[in-house]
Amino acid sequence: MVEQQKQRIELELSRRVDELDRTILRKMQGEMHECAARCCRDSNASMDSVQRCIEACSTPVQRAQQHVETELGNFNNRLQRCVMDCNDSIKDKMGPKPSDEDISKYTAMFERCAIKCVDKHVDLLPGLFKSMHQVLGNK
């Protein structure tokens, strides 16, 4: 059950990151490469000057990628904290020597709690990606 939820969130994240890549990040990368090509066409510029120009061209893409990584990292941390809270709550209820029946009962409780975490966090994804679209669209 938990593995299904893990796959569910991974698929949803993958789908949304792919859409972000197709709509914003690839355009930024194309612009970066066009900018770098212009830098290289300047035959009067020094090697250092061309290198600085190329680095400046890559800065917006690097910032965008960093923003996406940070946001996804924060999202994953929140999800992990939610699941860990489920785990801690179940451990508190379980006691030192649970029977097999208790273990089954608490495992089911944990799975229900973890599914709620995934549901909650999947529901947060549209807003998260809308925000990333807005931030990256302004770069």
Side-chain angles (χ1 to χ4, degrees):
M1 182 68 74
V2 173
E3 189 61 34
Q4 289 172 325
Q5 295 306 311
K6 183 178 175 186
Q7 287 178 338
R8 179 177 158 220
I9 198 109
E10 287 174 358
L11 285 171
E12 187 63 22
L13 277 170
S14 178
R15 184 182 70 78
R16 290 183 180 275
V17 168
D18 185 58
E19 190 269 337
L20 186 68
D21 177 61
R22 282 185 277 108
T23 59
I24 294 179
L25 297 175
R26 283 187 204 173
K27 181 181 179 211
M28 291 178 79
Q29 287 176 330
E31 290 169 355
M32 174 193 73
H33 289 294
E34 289 167 3
C35 176
R38 284 191 300 274
C39 297
C40 293
R41 285 190 207 110
D42 185 355
S43 60
N44 294 324
S46 70
M47 185 171 68
D48 287 341
S49 176
V50 170
Q51 188 60 38
R52 281 192 304 276
C53 181
I54 292 170
E55 287 172 11
C57 293
S58 68
T59 299
V61 171
Q62 290 172 348
R63 285 187 182 141
Q65 289 171 336
Q66 183 62 47
H67 178 72
V68 171
E69 288 174 18
T70 298
E71 291 296 322
L72 292 178
N74 290 340
F75 174 83
N76 282 325
N77 287 339
R78 288 178 67 180
L79 177 58
Q80 287 175 349
R81 285 194 309 269
C82 185
V83 173
M84 287 304 296
D85 189 49
C86 293
N87 191 46
D88 291 344
S89 176
I90 296 304
K91 280 184 180 179
D92 291 343
K93 292 176 184 176
M94 207 156 56
K97 293 185 179 183
S99 66
D100 288 345
E101 184 180 319
D102 286 341
I103 290 173
S104 294
K105 178 178 84 170
Y106 289 125
T107 298
M109 288 173 67
F110 170 77
E111 287 179 355
R112 284 191 301 275
C113 184
I115 288 169
K116 285 181 185 177
C117 289
V118 171
D119 289 343
K120 174 185 171 186
H121 285 79
V122 166
D123 290 345
L124 293 173
L125 289 175
L128 174 65
F129 278 85
K130 181 179 179 182
S131 173
M132 282 195 278
H133 272 273
Q134 289 171 340
V135 168
L136 298 176
N138 292 331
K139 291 196 180 242

